[in-house]
Amino acid sequence: MNTYIFDSSTKKNILIAFGIGVLLLLIGIFSYNSGASTGHGDDKHAVHASAKDATHTTVTEGAEHGHGHEAPTVRTALIANSYNVFYYFFYIALGAIFILAAANVAWGGWQIQVQKITLAMTVPIVVFLALLFVMFFAFNHDIFHWTHESLYVKGSDTFDEVLNIKKDFLNMKTFWAFTIVIAISCVWIVIKFWNTLTKMDTNPSRKLFSSSRVVSAVSIVVISFLINTFATWLWSMSIQPHWYSTMFTWNTMAGACVAALSIMLLFMHYLKAKGYLPNVNENHEHDVAKLMFAISIFWCYTWFAQYMLIWYANIPEETEYFRLRRNLDNYGILFHGSWVMNFIIPFFVLMTRNAKRKKAITIFCAIVIILGQFGAFFLMNCPPLLPKGGFGLISIGLLLIFGSIFTYITLMMLAKVKDLSSTTHPYYKESYNLHI
Amino acid sequence: MASHFESPLREPLINGNKTYKDITRDIVAPTTGKIQPKWAFWTAISAAFAGLFVFCIVWEVIFGIGTWGANKTVGWAWDITNFVWWIGIGHAGTLISAILLLFRQKWRTGVNRAAEAMTIFAVVCAGQFPIFHMGRVWDAFFIFPYPNTRGPLWVNFTSPLLWDVFAISTYFTVSLLFWYTGLVPDFATMRDQSKTPGRWKFYNFLSFGWIGTAKHWERWESLSLILAGLSTPLVLSVHTIVSFDFATSVVPGWHTTIMPPYFVAGAVFSGFAMVLTLMIVARHIMNLQDYITLAHIESMNKIMLLTGTIVGIAYLTELFVAWYSGSIYESYAFANRASGPYWWAYWSMMFCNLVSPQVFWFRKLRRNIAVTFFMSILINIGMWFERFVIIVISLHRDYLPSSWLYYSPTWVEIGIFVGTGGLFMTLFLMFCRFFPAIAIAEVKSILKVSGDQYRQKQLDEVSSMEVYKETTVTKGAWD
Amino acid sequence: MSDTKKYLVGIFDDDDVLLHAVKDIRKSGYEITDAYTPFPVHGLEHALGLEPTRIHAAGFIFGATGFTVALSMITFINLFNYPTDFGGKPYWGLLAYVPITFEHTVLFSAIGMTVSFYYLCKLWPGKTPKIIDERTTDHLFALTFELDSTKDANYVNTVSELLKKEGAIEVYQKEV
């Protein structure tokens, strides 16, 4: 069983998940109560109303006069949530490319048997790029405050001095130029990886092996200098256009990598349960879990450094970001939940060697990390659009819907791979022998 | 279980068909026999520079901090530049011994011992600068929190400078423990190779009476692994906290959130440069070319390429975000770096750290010893300039133009810096003479996997695989 | 010295042969007192049936101690003993205490674990070791069998034969 068959029972399960997602989404839409979708009682709102209004005016001073709607409607919630989900899955696929490239460029032998999973996970990037393009095209005014022309009219009420400085970068021409270049490079990298690694199954040669390393090295450079940098700046950081942080790009990428690894771990256990990957054992699971553990810590390191430095310097231009997100009335629970889920839980649960080798424990951590990173991504993208809170059923529903699509595409691509365990790879025997 | 397989495509890490016995002999050899005149000559020169260090320090303590050029707004100058530079150099040792251990990179065994020694010596040198920058150095113990007679007066736990005190002292202690525990079995080897009773006693004392039973080895391996696991976040934290010294402040050019990881990357970058500078010379003098091979040098060059490029991304990110922030002070700080009176420092930094390591994209240059040596020097200089740029350029023009000035170092500052170089080299040369410069036990443990004589056997194991059809184990078969 | 013990020593020159020998000898029912190797042989502790070391537990406990010490010390000082306003930060600005707490955790854990290691292994500077064979820190591997009063000549002969069969290059008795 070295070729994966995408069987109907799996398809049915994906469809069920998709259906639940749709159901949650519909419930979320019909029960949407603008400003109170996190489930806070009205009394509590009244008590904190003054404090919250103060925050609100600071953080969305631009958004107020630009958007022209005070309280977020269900339309805004849907746009913000969908955009966030597309961005999240785009980043997971990008994280998968990064992991694949890093493992290949570092001559990683242990991961050869599971690298086809990572490879398949890179393909959905095309779909999520397309979805992001739709969002950019149709809803750019809803997502990006800086797209409003009125901000740059000198002397008018809506004139924004800071954005006027930034308009050389934050304008539609630059935006589309970088967006298109990013999209082309992503697709190019995925095609290159797919062709090189699948060709090695049927025609194993040293030449292809060398070119797989070249592709890896080049894609790491392209991701680092171009894709990750400009995607985070233009697609995410500019949603709150006054705010800036140099760490933002690295924090996003670390989160994407750990989420991608967690999803990879889930696919690995799924394939094992179906009887594939016969020679993948707890040693390989141990290695994946170690990386999950390590990158969780690294993610928290970047998160802490960014948060602590901004907290410490206490410059209003910078603290607005966290004031909006840390407020217990809207996003506080999510904010603190995200570092607990992305760091505390994986750190303490995965600390011992035994835990990293237990299927149930690593799956639990993977799910916690996937949800935790989803929360972290939500916090990056959505609060400026939904300043009064808005993480709820709509978010979860959309996560399930597009998670199912991501899974479907990945498994569909996996079924096209001829040699699931990469038995022809020169390092295959190292992976086979792995004993740690 | 005891599989010694490794893909024959990987380059051997021990050349020359060595046996366990050869490994012991080759590594113990430089520590025995008569003192080489070459060694004595260089040690004498280094010691002379260390003497210069002592002289300048005494001068500074007697006549005060005013003998330094640091003044007005440039309150931190060469001292802190050198402090950060030395601390950064120390990072490669811990990276090699801890992080590469966790990543199962076998090539670390050839260089980890010397690199760790270098870490410890570099931290010793680094520590001198903040201590003597205190001026009244006899009150240096005030930095530690202890119940005192000055009322309940404590140190400021909210200050990054205090975090640094804890970070550097912890780093020094843990590195020392890690290094020494690794050395213990090798001292036992040295003891059992010794031919005179005095030498036996000396190495037995150092080896703590190690005899290498299975249980001891098991504990030793477990301890090494966990110390590695602790050192990894520790090494990240040290330069992170050094970066916090700058980044928590509101000085334009200092307050940027990317500082912590990019300081770490820069530290590793400069550390590897220093490891290469020393090891390229040491492997020649001590005849260790079979253990510190071109494969080792190539791997280290790759890490320099990686970390240099990471640092480069951070430079460009900072530059862009300084403009993007819309803050005129932030933008000015960076414009002043590139085009102000210290433009030469900024562009030296950019050239040495971002541009020049790009030559390592070419395999030929990665494996060229002369190029590597030249690059390692260039990178050391570049990383020194990076700290100079961050510290001096950000400070020399503050918000009040009347206090703008052009800082230049005095002879005392230069003497102290050059002197720490002498101190460092003296310690390193002593280490090479009296301690095993390569981890004997660890090299033995990878012999059957990475020794060149085992490659043919490993190739036979996989020769049925199509991808190995045309592979032969000759020089240059690996890429 | 009075506390010397007598050992039957088997010397091997290859780690794979040694590992194989250990498994076979234990299967035949003979107890190996100890093994001496010049470097850590992977899997030897399992073959000898040694209990896995719990030194990492010591590391965790010491680390937790360090964490508690640092945080409670800072809390006591900044919240009760001498509260000071530093740059408008809260008296108990937890974020600013993360670095020192972390460093203490690592410091306590590393020192505690290393001291435990030397304590458990009974190693100290200046200790006079009982060396079975000087070459075991160089290139040879040794297995020892303690010869106490219960072991007769027959035992010595059988084990010696067994050792030789398993590939020992030398077998001898030594009192240390």
Side-chain angles (χ1 to χ4, degrees):
Chain A
M1 291 236 290
N2 205 12
T3 314
Y4 173 69
I5 297 155
F6 195 4
D7 57 4
S8 56
S9 77
T10 311
K11 281 181 186 162
K12 209 176 79 191
N13 288 339
I14 294 176
L15 198 67
I16 291 171
F18 186 87
I20 296 172
V22 173
L23 199 67
L24 289 176
L25 176 67
L26 290 177
I27 298 174
I29 290 173
F30 288 115
S31 65
Y32 189 77
N33 175 6
S34 60
S37 60
T38 43
H40 288 290
D42 284 338
D43 301 343
K44 206 178 167 194
H45 268 273
V47 173
H48 291 280
S50 55
K52 195 168 49 180
D53 284 349
T55 319
H56 184 70
T57 36
T58 331
V59 294
T60 50
E61 48 180 321
E64 298 260 340
H65 39 77
H67 283 252
H69 42 250
E70 294 276 314
T73 58
V74 70
R75 178 174 178 274
T76 324
L78 272 175
I79 291 170
N81 274 300
S82 319
Y83 179 70
N84 177 54
V85 169
F86 302 158
Y87 182 78
Y88 183 51
F89 281 109
F90 162 80
Y91 249 99
I92 285 177
L94 191 65
I97 300 178
F98 196 82
I99 293 164
L100 185 64
N104 272 308
V105 87
W107 305 7
W110 66 274
Q111 48 90 32
I112 292 307
Q113 288 188 83
V114 291
Q115 73 167 0
K116 288 287 158 58
I117 305 174
T118 329
L119 179 66
M121 278 172 61
T122 64
V123 180
I125 207 170
V126 181
V127 175
F128 287 97
L129 267 171
L131 289 167
L132 281 173
F133 266 68
V134 172
M135 298 303 284
F136 296 148
F137 194 73
F139 303 109
N140 59 45
H141 286 307
D142 296 274
I143 301 167
F144 301 110
H145 171 60
W146 52 265
T147 55
H148 295 269
E149 298 291 336
S150 59
L151 296 166
Y152 308 105
V153 181
K154 274 203 173 118
S156 78
D157 285 352
T158 51
F159 178 68
D160 188 321
E161 205 173 334
V162 176
L163 288 188
N164 196 44
I165 297 173
K166 300 188 185 193
K167 73 173 178 220
D168 291 339
F169 181 65
L170 293 183
N171 61 60
M172 271 335 251
K173 272 191 198 127
T174 318
F175 182 88
W176 278 112
F178 275 110
T179 302
I180 288 166
V181 173
I182 287 170
I184 291 170
S185 16
C186 286
V187 174
W188 178 80
I189 289 172
V190 169
I191 290 173
K192 271 282 174 196
F193 258 122
W194 183 267
N195 285 346
T196 320
L197 292 183
T198 50
K199 259 185 215 156
M200 279 172 84
D201 294 346
T202 46
N203 172 31
S205 73
R206 289 282 295 281
K207 212 176 140 231
L208 276 171
F209 174 58
S210 300
S211 59
S212 77
R213 290 214 299 248
V214 174
V215 175
S216 304
V218 170
S219 58
I220 285 183
V221 173
V222 174
I223 289 175
S224 314
F225 275 94
L226 176 73
I227 302 175
N228 178 44
T229 312
F230 286 96
T232 44
W233 284 342
L234 283 170
W235 300 355
S236 181
M237 198 160 87
S238 78
I239 296 176
Q240 192 165 343
H242 280 211
W243 185 76
Y244 54 89
S245 167
T246 38
M247 182 72 106
F248 193 72
T249 50
W250 295 15
N251 181 249
T252 310
M253 196 65 206
C257 284
V258 69
L261 260 173
S262 306
I263 292 183
M264 200 269 259
L265 185 104
L266 295 184
F267 276 122
M268 188 170 88
H269 281 301
Y270 160 77
L271 290 172
K272 284 280 296 169
K274 287 269 171 188
Y276 300 99
L277 303 175
N279 298 315
V280 169
N281 51 39
E282 70 267 22
N283 292 305
H284 303 82
E285 292 157 19
H286 188 172
D287 268 350
V288 178
K290 267 198 244 174
L291 280 177
M292 262 165 60
F293 178 72
I295 305 177
S296 305
I297 297 175
F298 183 73
W299 177 86
C300 189
Y301 165 71
T302 58
W303 182 90
F304 171 78
Q306 173 170 292
Y307 180 43
M308 199 280 282
L309 287 175
I310 288 175
W311 172 83
Y312 202 106
N314 205 9
I315 300 173
E317 287 91 329
E318 293 183 345
T319 48
E320 60 161 15
Y321 183 84
F322 291 110
R323 286 182 65 188
L324 174 60
R325 285 156 177 83
R326 212 183 57 178
N327 191 331
L328 280 179
D329 272 346
N330 38 37
Y331 290 109
I333 297 166
L334 195 60
F335 179 80
H336 293 292
S338 85
W339 65 266
V340 170
M341 288 172 84
N342 291 322
F343 171 64
I344 299 289
I345 294 177
F347 180 78
F348 282 103
V349 174
L350 289 179
M351 189 147 51
T352 62
R353 175 188 160 90
N354 282 342
K356 293 192 197 86
R357 297 169 84 89
K358 293 241 163 55
K359 189 178 161 187
I361 294 176
T362 50
I363 288 180
F364 165 75
C365 278
I367 292 170
V368 168
I369 288 173
I370 292 165
L371 293 176
Q373 284 301 339
F374 180 63
F377 271 73
F378 186 93
L379 282 172
M380 288 175 188
N381 295 327
C382 296
L385 307 176
L386 307 166
K388 294 190 175 176
F391 189 82
L393 287 178
I394 295 180
S395 325
I396 301 290
L398 284 166
L399 177 69
L400 271 176
I401 292 172
F402 289 97
S404 316
I405 292 174
F406 185 94
T407 313
Y408 191 91
I409 301 167
T410 307
L411 290 179
M412 193 178 79
M413 294 315 288
L414 216 49
K416 293 189 181 170
V417 171
K418 289 205 179 57
D419 184 1
L420 193 61
S421 312
S422 308
T423 48
T424 55
H425 195 281
Y427 292 163
Y428 173 72
K429 199 165 162 28
E430 286 185 8
S431 178
Y432 181 89
N433 281 347
L434 184 72
H435 181 84
I436 46 174
Chain B
M1 181 176 285
S3 161
H4 297 305
F5 180 77
E6 181 178 80
S7 170
L9 292 186
R10 296 183 195 265
E11 190 169 350
L13 296 172
I14 304 165
N15 288 331
N17 197 13
K18 301 287 184 200
T19 61
Y20 294 138
K21 201 170 180 164
D22 295 336
I23 294 173
T24 313
R25 298 296 174 280
D26 290 349
I27 298 173
V28 173
T31 68
T32 55
K34 273 199 179 142
I35 285 176
Q36 290 174 6
K38 237 192 301 183
W39 181 86
F41 174 73
W42 287 110
T43 310
I45 289 191
S46 307
F49 276 106
L52 175 69
F53 167 74
V54 175
F55 176 76
C56 291
I57 284 292
V58 171
W59 188 277
E60 185 262 334
V61 171
I62 292 173
F63 296 101
I65 283 291
T67 53
W68 287 1
N71 205 353
K72 277 211 185 129
T73 59
V74 191
W76 282 358
W78 267 50
D79 49 351
I80 303 299
T81 303
N82 299 335
F83 160 70
V84 181
W85 187 70
W86 276 119
I87 283 287
I89 282 172
H91 276 51
T94 324
L95 182 103
I96 291 176
S97 51
I99 300 182
L100 297 183
L101 173 69
L102 298 183
F103 277 116
R104 298 197 296 267
Q105 296 291 313
K106 296 191 189 70
W107 58 269
R108 83 195 167 81
T109 53
V111 284
N112 64 350
R113 176 63 42 74
E116 273 176 70
M118 205 192 75
T119 295
I120 290 160
F121 306 149
V123 176
V124 168
C125 292
Q128 309 303 325
F129 292 97
I131 290 174
F132 286 100
H133 190 195
M134 290 178 196
R136 292 175 189 166
V137 73
W138 47 92
D139 284 338
F141 59 94
F142 280 17
I143 57 174
F144 293 106
Y146 61 98
N148 52 60
T149 53
R150 305 186 292 276
L153 189 60
W154 298 96
V155 286
N156 177 4
F157 290 101
T158 317
S159 162
L161 301 182
L162 187 77
W163 307 346
D164 232 357
V165 171
F166 283 94
I168 305 294
S169 45
T170 303
Y171 184 50
F172 179 74
T173 315
V174 176
S175 299
L176 194 64
L177 291 175
F178 194 17
W179 179 64
Y180 199 85
T181 305
L183 266 167
V184 160
D186 292 351
F187 281 137
T189 304
M190 304 264 291
R191 171 196 66 202
D192 293 341
Q193 295 298 313
S194 57
K195 295 191 175 67
T196 61
R199 201 178 150 85
W200 192 94
K201 272 203 178 129
F202 177 66
Y203 286 114
N204 184 51
F205 183 83
L206 292 176
S207 76
F208 289 15
W210 175 271
I211 39 175
T213 72
K215 188 73 199 170
H216 288 185
W217 276 121
E218 191 205 357
R219 291 197 187 115
W220 182 87
E221 276 204 297
S222 183
L223 178 68
S224 304
L225 201 63
I226 298 165
L227 282 181
L230 286 172
S231 301
T232 303
L234 178 65
V235 73
L236 256 78
S237 83
V238 173
H239 232 65
T240 298
I241 290 172
V242 170
S243 80
F244 285 166
D245 290 348
F246 306 102
T248 49
S249 65
V250 286
V251 175
W254 282 8
H255 178 67
T256 160
T257 48
I258 209 171
M259 272 244 190
Y262 119 63
F263 260 51
V264 174
V268 171
F269 183 51
S270 65
F272 269 90
M274 188 59 103
V275 171
L276 279 168
T277 311
L278 294 179
M279 294 320 276
I280 285 175
V281 179
R283 74 198 273 272
H284 272 287
I285 293 177
M286 301 200 285
N287 291 320
L288 295 173
Q289 285 94 332
D290 288 335
Y291 302 97
I292 303 165
T293 64
L294 278 179
H296 291 86
I297 291 172
E298 191 182 359
S299 298
M300 288 195 265
N301 281 337
K302 280 182 184 165
I303 290 194
M304 292 213 298
L305 174 61
L306 173 74
T307 48
T309 312
I310 291 176
V311 168
I313 293 179
Y315 292 159
L316 299 177
T317 307
E318 269 190 345
L319 203 59
F320 174 79
V321 173
W323 169 79
Y324 178 86
S325 72
S327 155
I328 50 169
Y329 303 108
E330 196 73 25
S331 316
Y332 177 76
F334 281 87
N336 185 42
R337 281 183 187 181
S339 58
Y342 286 108
W343 61 272
W344 47 271
Y346 183 80
W347 292 107
S348 309
M349 163 189 107
M350 275 294 190
F351 175 75
C352 295
N353 296 347
L354 173 59
V355 181
S356 71
Q358 305 305 325
V359 303
F360 289 138
W361 281 104
F362 302 99
R363 183 164 184 271
K364 264 209 173 123
L365 297 175
R366 282 201 298 266
R367 299 176 69 87
N368 183 317
I369 290 179
V371 170
T372 306
F373 189 73
F374 176 72
M375 286 302 303
S376 73
I377 302 277
L378 206 62
I379 290 165
N380 274 319
I381 296 172
M383 284 310 290
W384 190 88
F385 272 119
E386 181 198 295
R387 279 64 181 252
F388 183 80
V389 164
I390 291 172
I391 295 168
V392 173
I393 305 188
S394 304
L395 288 178
H396 86 121
R397 287 187 172 176
D398 71 347
Y399 298 103
L400 193 67
S402 63
S403 53
W404 287 7
L405 54 74
Y406 189 88
Y407 162 84
S408 322
T410 63
W411 67 268
V412 183
E413 279 170 298
I414 297 171
I416 291 176
F417 176 55
V418 176
T420 48
L423 181 65
F424 178 79
M425 280 314 295
T426 313
L427 290 168
F428 189 77
L429 286 163
M430 301 294 255
F431 160 78
C432 288
R433 174 64 198 176
F434 297 106
F435 286 13
I438 290 178
I440 304 175
E442 286 181 66
V443 169
K444 282 177 190 164
S445 69
I446 65 157
L447 177 66
K448 283 198 173 174
V449 183
S450 300
D452 58 351
Q453 71 268 44
Y454 294 95
R455 280 288 180 260
Q456 187 58 50
K457 218 176 115 217
Q458 287 156 346
L459 184 59
D460 294 341
E461 276 188 57
V462 285
S463 55
S464 61
M465 281 175 74
E466 205 187 320
V467 69
Y468 286 109
K469 277 273 154 62
E470 282 162 22
T471 308
T472 50
V473 177
T474 48
K475 253 199 156 48
W478 24 81
D479 46 10
Chain C
M1 278 205 282
S2 58
D3 60 340
T4 56
K5 283 177 186 161
K6 206 172 173 192
Y7 295 100
L8 178 68
V9 184
I11 300 284
F12 294 80
D13 64 352
D14 188 273
D15 39 332
D16 294 326
V17 177
L18 174 86
L19 210 55
H20 196 259
V22 168
K23 283 177 192 158
D24 283 356
I25 292 169
R26 273 174 50 88
K27 231 179 256 167
S28 327
Y30 295 100
E31 189 160 332
I32 299 167
T33 310
D34 220 333
Y36 298 82
T37 58
F39 59 88
V41 176
H42 202 66
L44 184 62
E45 66 275 11
H46 296 293
L48 283 166
L50 297 175
E51 287 258 309
T53 174
R54 281 188 298 273
I55 201 162
H56 39 73
F60 183 78
I61 293 164
F62 283 111
T65 314
F67 181 89
T68 319
V69 166
L71 209 54
S72 47
M73 177 181 71
I74 297 174
T75 307
F76 165 73
I77 290 167
N78 279 8
L79 211 51
F80 303 107
N81 194 239
Y82 201 91
T84 316
D85 184 330
F86 292 116
K89 305 258 172 312
Y91 288 137
W92 201 58
L94 195 55
L95 274 177
Y97 306 150
V98 169
I100 292 183
T101 312
F102 169 78
E103 299 299 331
H104 262 79
T105 311
V106 170
L107 185 68
F108 275 57
S109 178
I111 292 181
M113 213 164 38
T114 312
V115 171
S116 313
F117 168 75
Y118 290 114
Y119 174 76
L120 289 171
C121 294
K122 297 191 180 62
L123 298 173
W124 63 86
K127 178 189 181 183
T128 311
K130 296 187 170 181
I131 296 171
I132 295 286
D133 192 310
E134 282 191 343
R135 296 166 300 173
T136 57
T137 57
D138 179 7
H139 62 291
L140 296 181
F141 307 78
L143 289 181
T144 55
F145 300 81
E146 195 182 331
L147 299 175
D148 51 22
S149 51
T150 60
K151 309 281 165 61
D152 52 10
N154 189 24
Y155 173 88
V156 173
N157 283 339
T158 351
V159 175
S160 304
E161 283 307 308
L162 191 55
L163 280 170
K164 279 189 185 137
K165 204 185 88 198
E166 290 293 340
I169 55 167
E170 283 173 41
V171 178
Y172 60 85
Q173 292 182 29
K174 187 165 182 177
E175 195 167 326
V176 285

